[in-house]
């Protein structure tokens, strides 16, 4: 299965996500994206970036969910 990596800058998180509580943000992202795409989505973070791995065939659903959560 081909995957696509989505990278989000932690400094650019929407206001309703607390930059100091990244584990909670990751939990929300994984839950919502898994529900919206219908497949297990993985997400982790380093000190500056949230990295999300999505099956390429479900990229549109993931992008729509991220837009709805105001990530872009």
């Amino acid at each position: 299965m081909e995957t696509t990596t989505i990278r989000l800058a932690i400094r650019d998180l929407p206001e309703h996500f607390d930059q100091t509580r990244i584990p909670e943000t990751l939990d929300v992202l994984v839950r919502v994206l898994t529900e919206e795409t219908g497949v297990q989505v993985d997400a982790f973070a380093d000190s500056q970036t949230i990295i999300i791995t999505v099956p390429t065939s479900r990229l549109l659903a993931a992008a729509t969910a991220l837009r709805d959560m105001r990530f872009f």
Side-chain angles (χ1 to χ4, degrees):
M1 170 183 359
E2 293 185 22
T3 61
T4 299
T5 302
I6 301 169
R7 297 178 188 273
L8 305 170
I10 291 173
R11 70 174 182 270
D12 295 334
L13 287 176
E15 291 180 12
H16 57 280
F17 287 99
D18 185 347
Q19 292 182 15
T20 64
R21 301 182 66 181
I22 296 304
E24 289 81 1
T25 299
L26 292 175
D27 289 343
V28 169
L29 284 170
V30 167
R31 182 179 45 80
V32 169
L33 292 174
T34 296
E35 288 174 6
E36 293 298 319
T37 62
V39 295
Q40 181 62 42
V41 172
D42 295 318
F44 63 96
D46 60 24
S47 62
Q48 298 179 10
T49 310
I50 293 174
I51 298 98
I52 305 165
T53 304
V54 179
T56 302
S57 63
R58 303 303 302 151
L59 184 57
L60 181 58
T64 300
L66 289 169
R67 183 198 63 209
D68 292 347
M69 288 187 285
R70 293 184 268 162
F71 277 92
F72 46 85

